[in-house]
Amino acid sequence: MPSTDMGVVFSPPTLKPPRKMQRLAKGIEEKPWKAGLDISTFPPKTVSEILLLLDSGQDELISILDWVHLLDHKAAWDAVHSDQDIARTSAKIFRAIAKDNSLTQLALFRAALTIDGSGTLFPPILLEHLHLLSDSVLGRQKELLDIVLHSKHEDFLAIAGLVATADLSVEEFFSRYRLPRCTRLKQETMNSLPRLFEELDLSSRAGWCLYMLKETDRSLSVAMLEVLLSKRQGDVQKVPYVLEWLDENCHPRHDEGYWFELSESSHSALRELITISDFHYFRKLVDLLRDSTISNALRLDEHGLKQIKSRSLFWAHYESRILSLRILVPGDTYQKLPMFIQTADWLERFEEQGGSEAVVFEFEHVLILEVLRDVASEIRVFLKNTRNVNLLLRSNPASLERFRNAHQDGVHDHAVCWQWACEQWLRTNYKILPDDRVTRFRGLPPAASSYSRLHGLPAPDGDMLDRRSDELEYWSASFYAREQSLGKHGAELDRAHGQTFSLKGINHRERGRKDEYKRCLSKASELGDRYAADELCQPLIEEAKAFGRRRNIAKMRALLEKAAGQGSAEAMVALALASSQTEYDRRQGDEWLKKAARLGHPKARRILRMD
C-alpha cells in the first residue's frame, strides 16, 4: 500500500553541503590531468622523477608525500643503480633535508623508527651516513640528530645524559622531540638510567634523580636506588633534601616504601644515612605502661613493671642491629592510653582484648617476638621468610595468638638471669651480637653487666643458676601448657617442648653437670630441636671436616651420615652439598636436604626455595 494511502507523507532528506571538504579544497585550481604535463602534478612521482627534480634544483616542487615515497623506495632504486648514482643522489637528498626543518624532522623521525625496529622507513645507505648531516643542521634539529645517532650506535647512556641535561623524564624527552612511538629506544634509555646514576653530578642533578625515581616504574626505581645507596653513599650524604626523601620513602616504617625491596647492602647504607631505628617508640610504650595511672588501671605490680623495663633495656643493646620493629598492644591497654598515642602511626592494636603487649623486631635473617608480660612470657625467633614477614610485620588485624601459633625456630624464657642466657643464645644460634659500642649491659648488677664480644656476659654464680633452674622448670611447664592450649600437636608441639630442654641444658652446662647437660640436649634433639642436635653432633662434624681437608671423602661422609642420623641439620646440609660420586649419593643428598629444610635449616630452605 503506498504511503500516501496511509496518510503518511515523507519529506525528501536535506542535502547539506560538505563544508569541511570545501574548506580543505579552497584555493585549489581544478585542472584535467593529461600525460606529458609537468612531473610535479598528479599522479605521484616515481623515485627517478623525484631525484630528477633534486638534480635540477627544483626541491620546492617535491611534496611531503613525494618525500615519503622517496624514503620508502630509495633502497629499491639503489639496488639497480651504480654506486656513483647512489652516492650522488644521497648527497642531494642530504642537502635538501638540511635546508628544510620540516623535512629534517620527517627524515630523522623515520630514521629513529627504523632503528627502533618499526620497519625500513629510512634508506639503509642514508642511515649509514647520517652523521654527514651533523655540520648542516642546528638547534632542535641538531639535538634530534644526536639522539638518532646515539640510538644508531646503541649508546643509550648518552641519550640518558641528554635527558638529564634537559631536566625531563624519559617520556617527556621523547615527546619533546616527537618520538613517542620509539618504544624500544625509550625503554633502552630508561634501562640506562641506573648506569647514569653512577656517574652523574649529584650536586647539580640530585633533584632530577629524585624526579626519575618518581616517574619510572618500580623495578627501575629500585635499581637506581641501589646505585645511589651502594655506590654513591658519600655523595648522597652531602645533599640534605635527598636524605629527607630517603627518610620519607625508604624507611621501614613505611609499608609502601622501598625498604623491603632493597638489598642488604642498601639497608646498611640507609642505616648510615638516616636514622632507621624506631626503638624510641618501644621506650615510649614502656614509659607509658610504667605511668602510675595506666599501670594501676592495668593492675601491674612493681615486679611486673620491672620486668617490662628490663625488656627494653636488654633490647636497647641491639638497637643498631634492628632493621625495623612493630609495637602491638591488646584492646585493654589500647583503651587506657592517651588519645594522641592511640592515633600514633607506630602503635598497633591486637584483635585480642586482653593479654600482653608485644614487640616484633626485624633482624637481618630472623624476626623476634618479645612478649612483654603475662604468665610464662617468652621470646620467640622466626626465620625471616615471606610467610613470617607477612604475618609478624604486615598482618592486619594482628593477633598474638596467631603469632604464637606460627612455626617458631626457637623460644627463650624470661626466668631469672634470662639476659645472660638470651645473649648467649642469640650469639650462638643466630649470630646476633649487641651493638659494637656495647661494653656493659644496662639494667644488670655491676658484677653481671660487663660484656665481651668473645665470651658474652659473666655467668651467674651457682646459687643464681640453681634458682634459674627452678624457675625454668615452672616456666617450661607453663609454656608447654600454653602451647597445648593453642592447639599445637605432633611434631610442632614436640619441637616447642624440645626447645625448653635446650634452655635447661645450658644451665646444667654452666654448673658442670655434663651428664644432665647431655640428657637435656638428647631429649631436645629427640623432640626435633635442630640446635640441640647440631650441638651434640659438633664433635662428629668437626672430625668429618678434618677428614674432608685430608681428602678422605669416604670417612668424611660416614661421620656426616652418623651426625645426620642423630638429627643434625648442619650435617644433613653438608652431606647434600658434598661432592657426590654416584647417583645414589646424589639422591641421598637430596633427601637429607629436604629433611634439613623440614627442620627449619635456613640454607636448606633457601636452596629448595621454600622461603
Side-chain angles (χ1 to χ4, degrees):
M1 180 185 297
S3 60
T4 53
D5 293 345
M6 298 174 60
V8 179
V9 178
F10 292 101
S11 301
T14 303
L15 297 176
K16 294 184 179 180
R19 299 188 185 281
K20 288 186 179 180
M21 294 185 66
Q22 287 174 343
R23 284 197 299 270
L24 289 172
K26 185 177 181 181
I28 296 178
E29 185 179 350
E30 183 180 0
K31 293 180 181 178
W33 183 82
K34 296 180 182 178
L37 289 180
D38 190 276
I39 61 173
S40 66
T41 57
F42 188 83
K45 307 172 189 68
T46 65
V47 171
S48 294
E49 290 171 338
I50 297 169
L51 293 175
L52 183 59
L53 287 173
L54 282 174
D55 272 338
S56 62
Q58 301 181 72
D59 304 10
E60 71 280 0
L61 298 179
I62 304 174
S63 71
I64 200 70
L65 291 177
D66 293 332
W67 277 109
V68 170
H69 181 71
L70 174 62
L71 296 176
D72 278 340
H73 298 93
K74 177 70 162 58
W77 188 92
D78 289 346
V80 295
H81 286 79
S82 66
D83 290 344
Q84 184 177 1
D85 286 340
I86 295 170
R88 177 180 55 79
T89 55
S90 296
K92 294 280 187 180
I93 292 172
F94 275 141
R95 195 172 296 119
I97 288 173
K99 285 195 302 183
D100 187 318
N101 287 345
S102 298
L103 188 54
T104 305
Q105 179 70 39
L106 172 69
L108 294 179
F109 171 69
R110 292 174 67 88
L113 286 176
T114 300
I115 297 168
D116 192 64
S118 299
T120 306
L121 305 176
F122 198 72
I125 188 66
L126 297 183
L127 191 60
E128 182 182 350
H129 297 92
L130 194 61
H131 60 280
L132 296 175
L133 279 175
S134 295
D135 295 330
S136 305
V137 294
L138 301 170
R140 185 65 62 87
Q141 280 66 39
K142 177 64 166 65
E143 295 168 7
L144 178 56
L145 175 62
D146 289 341
I147 295 168
V148 175
L149 290 175
H150 288 316
S151 299
K152 176 187 169 187
H153 295 109
E154 300 286 310
D155 189 0
F156 297 104
L157 183 61
I159 300 178
L162 296 176
V163 175
T165 302
D167 204 30
L168 299 171
S169 70
V170 174
E171 193 71 43
E172 291 166 343
F173 181 82
F174 275 78
S175 295
R176 168 188 276 189
Y177 292 98
R178 300 178 186 177
L179 299 175
R181 288 174 53 195
C182 297
T183 53
R184 185 183 73 85
L185 304 187
K186 276 194 291 187
Q187 190 58 52
E188 293 287 358
T189 302
M190 289 181 183
N191 293 343
S192 298
L193 292 177
R195 282 192 296 147
L196 181 66
F197 272 41
E198 294 182 22
E199 57 190 48
L200 206 62
D201 179 14
L202 282 184
S203 63
S204 60
R205 298 292 179 199
W208 176 81
C209 289
L210 297 185
Y211 183 50
M212 288 304 95
L213 292 172
K214 175 186 174 185
E215 290 296 311
T216 52
D217 65 67
R218 187 79 173 186
S219 60
L220 197 55
S221 295
V222 170
M224 290 186 284
L225 273 171
E226 292 283 2
V227 171
L228 289 178
L229 294 169
S230 61
K231 299 182 179 181
R232 305 295 303 276
Q233 182 181 340
D235 297 323
V236 168
Q237 198 165 18
K238 300 173 185 176
V239 189
Y241 63 89
V242 174
L243 296 178
E244 290 177 15
W245 188 94
L246 291 173
D247 188 63
E248 293 171 2
N249 294 274
C250 298
H251 199 289
R253 66 174 173 263
H254 301 300
D255 290 339
E256 302 304 319
Y258 291 97
W259 175 267
F260 297 103
E261 299 163 75
L262 293 171
S263 66
E264 292 300 330
S265 62
S266 290
H267 287 171
S268 298
L270 277 169
R271 284 194 291 272
E272 294 182 21
L273 291 169
I274 59 177
T275 302
I276 291 297
S277 174
D278 282 341
F279 198 84
H280 61 284
Y281 294 135
F282 184 17
R283 294 191 184 98
K284 181 69 174 175
L285 174 66
V286 171
D287 290 342
L288 287 167
L289 294 177
R290 288 166 58 82
D291 177 82
S292 59
T293 302
I294 296 175
S295 62
N296 289 337
L298 293 174
R299 297 181 180 177
L300 297 175
D301 60 19
E302 189 61 29
H303 175 72
L305 292 174
K306 286 182 179 178
Q307 286 296 302
I308 291 172
K309 182 66 174 178
S310 72
R311 315 291 192 252
S312 68
L313 288 174
F314 177 81
W315 291 110
H317 301 103
Y318 296 84
E319 185 169 354
S320 71
R321 314 296 187 203
I322 296 170
L323 305 183
S324 71
L325 56 81
R326 187 183 189 189
I327 300 171
L328 305 110
V329 300
D332 286 344
T333 303
Y334 183 84
Q335 290 164 4
K336 293 173 176 61
L337 295 175
M339 181 60 69
F340 75 94
I341 295 295
Q342 291 181 3
T343 57
D345 58 5
W346 57 267
L347 183 73
E348 297 183 60
R349 180 176 179 171
F350 277 130
E351 65 179 33
E352 291 93 350
Q353 187 64 21
S356 173
E357 302 75 27
V359 182
V360 179
F361 299 107
E362 179 193 5
F363 287 87
E364 186 173 2
H365 299 298
V366 299
L367 303 172
I368 293 182
L369 172 67
E370 168 68 84
V371 183
L372 297 185
R373 59 189 179 96
D374 218 344
V375 177
S377 65
E378 78 277 21
I379 299 166
R380 296 179 190 246
V381 175
F382 302 83
L383 298 180
K384 199 165 92 173
N385 52 43
T386 302
R387 181 184 64 251
N388 289 336
V389 166
N390 287 335
L391 173 67
L392 294 162
L393 293 179
R394 298 176 181 172
S395 60
N396 187 20
S399 163
L400 181 57
E401 182 174 335
R402 283 197 293 274
F403 287 2
R404 282 171 158 167
N405 235 326
H407 170 76
Q408 76 253 5
D409 191 64
V411 67
H412 202 281
D413 63 276
H414 282 138
V416 67
C417 301
W418 68 271
Q419 296 97 324
W420 159 75
C422 190
E423 183 281 324
Q424 184 180 139
W425 179 67
L426 292 171
R427 171 166 41 88
T428 304
N429 289 354
Y430 300 103
K431 306 299 183 288
I432 297 176
L433 298 174
D435 300 341
D436 295 338
R437 57 181 171 75
V438 172
T439 58
R440 285 191 173 275
F441 268 52
R442 292 177 58 215
L444 297 178
S449 65
S450 63
Y451 168 75
S452 160
R453 291 179 66 83
L454 185 61
H455 303 293
L457 292 167
D461 61 30
D463 289 342
M464 291 301 294
L465 287 173
D466 287 342
R467 181 181 163 193
R468 175 167 170 75
S469 291
D470 292 340
E471 289 194 14
L472 264 179
E473 288 295 336
Y474 173 77
W475 179 88
S476 298
S478 300
F479 173 79
Y480 184 65
R482 185 173 57 235
E483 295 295 281
Q484 287 179 307
S485 70
L486 288 169
K488 290 187 178 181
H489 60 278
E492 190 70 25
L493 182 62
D494 287 344
R495 190 179 295 111
H497 199 194
Q499 290 162 355
T500 67
F501 277 96
S502 289
L503 295 175
K504 296 175 186 178
I506 294 173
N507 236 45
H508 289 305
R509 183 184 62 195
E510 290 300 325
R511 294 290 280 139
R513 299 167 181 162
K514 294 182 180 180
D515 291 341
E516 286 297 305
Y517 167 65
K518 287 185 178 180
R519 182 188 67 79
C520 284
L521 257 62
S522 295
K523 185 65 175 177
S525 175
E526 179 186 323
L527 290 169
D529 183 4
R530 65 183 177 89
Y531 293 105
D534 287 340
E535 179 73 17
L536 281 173
C537 296
Q538 201 58 39
L540 286 174
I541 294 172
E542 291 301 324
E543 189 178 356
K545 289 178 180 177
F547 277 110
R549 288 192 290 270
R550 296 198 292 270
R551 307 222 178 255
N552 189 336
I553 304 302
K555 188 65 175 175
M556 178 193 76
R557 289 188 64 84
L559 289 167
L560 287 176
E561 285 175 356
K562 183 177 180 180
Q566 293 178 21
S568 170
E570 184 180 344
M572 296 174 194
V573 173
L575 273 173
L577 299 180
S579 56
S580 301
Q581 303 298 319
T582 66
E583 180 62 27
Y584 172 78
D585 286 341
R586 285 190 287 274
R587 287 200 304 271
Q588 286 293 102
D590 289 342
E591 290 303 315
W592 284 124
L593 194 64
K594 292 174 184 175
K595 187 171 182 180
R598 286 195 295 271
L599 288 172
H601 195 284
K603 190 171 185 178
R605 294 181 69 85
R606 284 197 300 273
I607 293 172
L608 295 175
R609 298 182 179 179
M610 295 175 67
D611 295 331

